[in-house]
Amino acid sequence: MTRFFYTLLLLGILITGLKAQQPAKKISLVDSLKGMLEQKIPDSLRARTNFNLAEQLLYADTLQSNNYLEQGRKLIKKNAYLQAIYYYYAATLESRTDLHKSEVSFKKAHALLAPFKTEDAYLLQAKSWHNYGVLQQLKDNYRGMADALLNKAIPYAIKSGDKAYLAVNYMDLSLVFKNNKQFEKAQIYIDSTLQILQKVKGKKSYKIVAYHTAAENYVFLKKYPQAKAMLDSASVLLSPNPESPLYLDYYFAEGLYFDDVKQYDQAIISLDKGIEMALKLQARNEEQRLLMQKLHVLRSQRKFDKALSIANYLLKQKDMLFLSDDRLLVYTDLAETWSGLGNMSEAYKWMKTASLMRDSINKSRLEKDVHELEIKYKKAENQREIGVLKATNEKAALSVKNNRLLAWLLGSVALFLLIISFFGLLYFRNSKKLTKQEEINYRQRLKELEQDKQLTISNAMLEGEERERQRVGRDLHDGLGGTLAGIKINLSDVVANTSPAGKDTELGKIIAQLDNSVNDLRSIARNLMPETLLKFGLETALKDLCETFNNNGLKITLQLFDIQESMEISMKINIYRIIQEILSNTVRHSGASQLLLQCSQNESVFLITAEDNGKGFDPESANHTKGIGLDNIRNRVALLHGKMELNSAINEGTAINIELHVGE
């Protein structure tokens, strides 16, 4: 399979989002800014000029870059806006040496820029959130990057009116989806980028990078004519400047294209050109990216000795493979390369190393999830303690009120005997009513406690079920899946050493059956553990779920209105499971050809409506029948303090209306 190396592509876009200038133009801009400092200009403009010089010289001269930043800081004085943008530029420079410090400075810039409502402030907010998102990606937090781009950087870029920078954010968002192998979604944002750039004058280098990215994505979609057209468009723009660093990405995309169409010799030529330029420019990240693609081509050519040489070289480079996902790819490549060389002992060694690395990655992510659950638990405990204290205060206030009433009655007895008798009778009657009311309240409280107990038990069972689903999903995918993959490697090696006449024997059929088993295993793992929900939110997960069921002879029309992704993950999972059960029941029992599914949210109320044109059933009979599907739906609805209405009749289809409470 084709490898994916988009991670390193983001490392070069932290400052402006893309490689926006050629060397000659960058020098001209620096000279122009230095010339402005020699003139008599206001301190505020001088400060901004120093900040711009610090950004422009970041990669050319780090020492000068820091000096200009410091000169600009001295000119801030009491200017709140300059103070805000200083943190943006400081965070940009810190990103070269200290990612944590850079992240703190970006957060400071967000807070200080918030009061300003100008286009310039909006653009700086967009850049600040964009670069903050890149920092999240460097920490393997793709969800954090997507959130920063979608909910912050892109809205601010739209407000700023800078269409070119809006295109930058769409392009980077497409990379997030490509990293997660969602190529169709990635193509949507790539197309948006290209449409915007067609309307923007200049920005030649932006367009070149967009063409590179589009070409790569089309290769992964197996749309080779479109990929070739994108490469040709990039080549036309690049040809006037053969020394442009943007050729590095062009050679990679071209090598990827030739590799996928099995023109391996052409792929090697393109990648070697890129590697030679990367070495000349000392572009270590691009060198690594090109070498890893070349390694894949060599393995496709069965030139395992050369592939092994590249893999060993990469392992020796301390400044490469700093991301765990990249190390995992190289370890896997080494296992497959040694397998191709027939050294199964080394192949097993590297496969085991890759497996341990994969377990380590999963463990670190699990620890993060556990930490988040612990925070939520402590928050719930604090809320419970506040509730107990409030109830105690109310009880004390009621006691004080009753004592005052008793004192007033005793005083009245001393003054008027007749009034004593009257109020004595009144007090007796009131006491009787109060006692009766207290008894009613006590029974009601017992009933509520019993309901809370049942909900707690149901919640624990459902949470346990979800944890078990995730555990089984991971075990199937990472454990049994890895084992089946290893078996396939061994069987493939046996077939490779078998005479041509024997390759179509039962052993070949067994390998094909093993392939089908691996695919079925992965499908089961995805169903048990909805990764799309955890990574990209409820709306995306529901769309993917409906696409899956559309393949079962049922046309599903999904309509989503105002879905808020800020609700707790446990609520999202319950909503996802409810809809999954509805779809499953419709496919298995209704015989419907069409299903309309609507999901909407109004603050803390979440509404689900499902209507199909199936054969229907008698709801009264269903209420007396033990059905696991309906019971699961009712349990989850009750857990979210909701209510469900089921309308159906024989040969008239079925309609389900559910109202859930997802707020605090």
Side-chain angles (χ1 to χ4, degrees):
M1 281 196 308
T2 305
R3 295 295 180 192
F4 308 96
F5 305 110
Y6 314 120
T7 301
L8 295 174
L9 184 59
L10 289 172
L11 296 176
I13 61 176
L14 188 57
I15 300 303
T16 61
L18 294 167
K19 300 167 185 171
Q21 294 179 331
Q22 308 223 350
K25 292 183 180 179
K26 187 173 287 187
I27 293 173
S28 176
L29 177 59
V30 169
D31 290 340
S32 175
L33 292 171
K34 288 181 178 179
M36 288 183 63
L37 292 179
E38 295 174 358
Q39 301 175 16
K40 188 176 181 179
I41 56 177
D43 284 349
S44 59
L45 181 56
R46 186 176 295 276
R48 295 207 64 170
T49 304
N50 276 287
F51 291 154
N52 286 329
L53 272 168
E55 184 177 52
Q56 293 297 324
L57 292 171
L58 176 59
Y59 288 96
D61 191 328
T62 304
L63 182 60
Q64 277 198 54
S65 178
N66 285 311
N67 288 337
Y68 281 117
L69 179 68
E70 181 62 20
Q71 291 300 320
R73 187 189 65 80
K74 292 178 181 178
L75 297 170
I76 291 175
K77 298 179 181 178
K78 296 183 179 180
N79 190 317
Y81 187 62
L82 290 179
Q83 182 73 26
I85 66 175
Y86 163 76
Y87 279 100
Y88 161 73
Y89 288 101
T92 300
L93 269 63
E94 289 162 358
S95 65
R96 292 293 307 277
T97 56
D98 191 332
L99 295 182
H100 176 71
K101 191 174 180 181
S102 175
E103 184 175 322
V104 173
S105 295
F106 275 131
K107 290 181 179 178
K108 185 72 172 179
H110 302 160
L112 294 178
L113 283 168
F116 299 99
K117 309 300 180 183
T118 64
E119 289 185 352
D120 184 65
Y122 289 144
L123 180 59
L124 285 171
Q125 279 278 37
K127 290 182 177 181
S128 183
W129 277 108
H130 169 274
N131 294 349
Y132 176 83
V134 173
L135 295 180
Q136 302 312 303
Q137 186 273 338
L138 292 175
K139 298 192 299 184
D140 289 337
N141 183 9
Y142 289 97
R143 183 178 180 182
M145 180 179 184
D147 179 66
L149 292 177
L150 276 172
N151 299 320
K152 298 293 184 180
I154 289 176
Y156 277 120
I158 293 173
K159 288 183 178 181
S160 74
D162 191 324
K163 294 185 180 299
Y165 198 71
L166 176 61
V168 169
N169 283 278
Y170 280 143
M171 179 59 63
D172 291 349
L173 189 57
S174 74
L175 295 179
V176 175
F177 287 111
K178 285 210 304 180
N179 285 339
N180 288 276
K181 305 180 185 180
Q182 299 185 56
F183 305 120
E184 294 290 350
K185 288 187 175 64
Q187 193 60 47
I188 293 173
Y189 290 101
I190 293 173
D191 291 341
S192 298
T193 302
L194 292 172
Q195 290 173 7
I196 293 173
L197 292 178
Q198 292 301 325
K199 300 176 183 178
V200 176
K201 294 182 179 180
K203 304 298 181 184
K204 176 180 175 180
S205 55
Y206 283 25
K207 294 175 183 178
I208 292 172
V209 174
Y211 288 141
H212 294 165
T213 308
E216 293 177 27
N217 201 63
Y218 277 132
V219 170
F220 300 132
L221 290 171
K222 307 300 180 185
K223 296 181 178 180
Y224 301 119
Q226 293 91 326
K228 186 64 168 62
M230 292 294 102
L231 287 172
D232 292 342
S233 298
S235 179
V236 170
L237 295 179
L238 281 167
S239 58
N241 188 5
E243 299 300 323
S244 171
L246 294 175
Y247 261 111
L248 292 170
D249 292 330
Y250 173 81
Y251 287 135
F252 175 83
E254 189 177 51
L256 184 68
Y257 167 76
F258 284 129
D259 180 19
D260 231 49
V261 297
K262 303 189 185 307
Q263 296 182 27
Y264 300 126
D265 292 337
Q266 289 295 325
I268 293 295
I269 292 173
S270 298
L271 294 170
D272 282 341
K273 288 179 182 178
I275 293 168
E276 182 181 356
M277 177 175 280
L279 291 171
K280 182 179 178 181
L281 297 176
Q282 296 184 349
R284 297 286 285 168
N285 293 329
E286 284 76 6
E287 179 191 355
Q288 175 196 344
R289 188 167 180 245
L290 290 158
L291 283 170
M292 293 178 77
Q293 182 59 31
K294 183 178 179 180
L295 187 155
H296 180 264
V297 176
L298 290 171
R299 283 200 300 101
S300 298
Q301 292 179 303
R302 303 190 65 79
K303 295 181 179 180
F304 297 114
D305 290 334
K306 293 182 178 180
L308 183 62
S309 176
I310 292 177
N312 288 329
Y313 170 78
L314 288 170
L315 287 176
K316 294 177 182 178
Q317 308 309 305
K318 294 183 179 180
D319 57 339
M320 295 184 178
L321 304 181
F322 61 90
L323 291 177
S324 57
D325 286 340
D326 291 338
R327 293 196 298 275
L328 179 60
L329 284 174
V330 173
Y331 296 157
T332 305
D333 282 332
L334 275 167
E336 295 177 2
T337 300
W338 280 113
S339 175
L341 289 169
N343 191 332
M344 303 313 296
S345 175
E346 284 293 325
Y348 174 76
K349 167 189 169 183
W350 287 107
M351 182 182 294
K352 184 177 180 181
T353 303
S355 177
L356 292 174
M357 172 64 71
R358 188 180 297 107
D359 291 343
S360 176
I361 294 172
N362 292 335
K363 181 181 179 182
S364 65
R365 291 172 180 167
L366 176 61
E367 289 175 350
K368 180 180 178 182
D369 292 341
V370 170
H371 178 65
E372 292 177 352
L373 288 174
E374 183 180 11
I375 293 175
K376 292 179 181 179
Y377 171 76
K378 289 181 178 178
K379 181 179 179 181
E381 283 293 299
N382 291 336
Q383 292 293 334
R384 186 185 65 81
E385 291 176 1
I386 292 172
V388 171
L389 181 60
K390 184 178 179 180
T392 302
N393 291 337
E394 290 177 351
K395 184 176 180 181
L398 180 62
S399 177
V400 170
K401 183 178 179 180
N402 288 336
N403 289 335
R404 287 176 179 175
L405 178 61
L406 181 60
W408 184 80
L409 290 172
L410 291 175
S412 298
V413 169
L415 296 174
F416 304 101
L417 184 59
L418 182 60
I419 297 176
I420 290 175
S421 301
F422 173 77
F423 280 103
L425 179 61
L426 181 63
Y427 178 74
F428 174 77
R429 293 176 64 183
N430 286 342
S431 297
K432 186 176 181 180
K433 290 181 180 179
L434 182 61
T435 301
K436 185 176 181 180
Q437 185 62 43
E438 287 179 348
E439 182 179 356
I440 293 173
N441 292 341
Y442 178 75
R443 291 178 179 177
Q444 182 64 27
R445 180 59 180 164
L446 287 177
K447 183 178 180 180
E448 291 176 356
L449 289 174
E450 182 63 23
Q451 291 176 347
D452 289 341
K453 180 179 178 182
Q454 292 298 325
L455 286 176
T456 301
I457 294 172
S458 298
N459 187 25
M461 291 175 64
L462 291 174
E463 287 183 353
E465 178 184 344
E466 288 298 334
R467 286 196 297 269
E468 187 64 13
R469 282 173 179 263
Q470 294 182 13
R471 184 191 68 78
V472 173
R474 284 195 299 269
D475 289 346
L476 287 174
H477 186 275
D478 297 333
L480 184 56
T483 302
L484 291 175
I487 294 172
K488 180 187 172 184
I489 290 175
N490 292 331
L491 289 175
S492 298
D493 187 60
V494 173
V495 172
N497 294 323
T498 305
S499 63
K503 291 185 177 181
D504 295 329
T505 61
E506 290 297 320
L507 189 56
K509 295 179 181 179
I510 291 172
I511 294 176
Q513 293 173 348
L514 185 58
D515 273 336
N516 292 332
S517 299
V518 172
N519 291 333
D520 291 342
L521 177 65
R522 290 173 177 167
S523 176
I524 294 170
R526 284 195 299 271
N527 188 46
L528 288 171
M529 182 176 56
E531 293 185 2
T532 305
L533 174 64
L534 301 178
K535 292 182 178 179
F536 301 107
L538 180 61
E539 185 169 340
T540 302
L542 292 180
K543 291 178 181 178
D544 287 350
L545 181 64
C546 289
E547 289 177 5
T548 301
F549 280 92
N550 265 328
N551 296 327
N552 293 285
L554 174 66
K555 180 180 179 182
I556 301 173
T557 301
L558 175 64
Q559 297 177 350
L560 302 174
F561 305 99
D562 299 323
I563 304 303
Q564 300 173 13
E565 296 294 347
S566 58
M567 70 180 85
E568 294 183 0
I569 186 63
S570 61
M571 295 181 179
K572 293 181 184 179
I573 291 175
N574 277 322
I575 292 171
Y576 179 88
R577 293 301 184 194
I578 288 171
I579 294 174
Q580 186 181 41
E581 195 67 52
I582 291 173
L583 295 178
S584 178
N585 286 345
T586 302
V587 170
R588 286 184 295 180
H589 305 302
S590 72
S593 62
Q594 294 185 356
L595 171 67
L596 173 62
L597 177 63
Q598 293 180 333
C599 297
S600 62
Q601 187 171 354
N602 183 9
E603 295 182 353
S604 63
V605 177
F606 194 98
L607 302 175
I608 302 172
T609 300
E611 298 181 3
D612 66 53
N613 64 346
K615 59 188 180 182
F617 61 93
D618 182 4
E620 291 298 325
S621 299
N623 290 333
H624 300 289
T625 302
K626 294 295 184 179
I628 296 177
L630 284 176
D631 283 346
N632 285 339
I633 295 174
R634 290 192 180 101
N635 288 339
R636 293 185 185 275
V637 170
L639 181 63
L640 295 180
H641 304 288
K643 54 186 178 182
M644 182 176 77
E645 179 181 347
L646 180 64
N647 297 316
S648 184
I650 303 299
N651 298 323
E652 292 185 10
T654 301
I656 300 176
N657 298 304
I658 297 174
E659 178 181 323
L660 306 173
H661 294 277
V662 295
E664 295 182 355

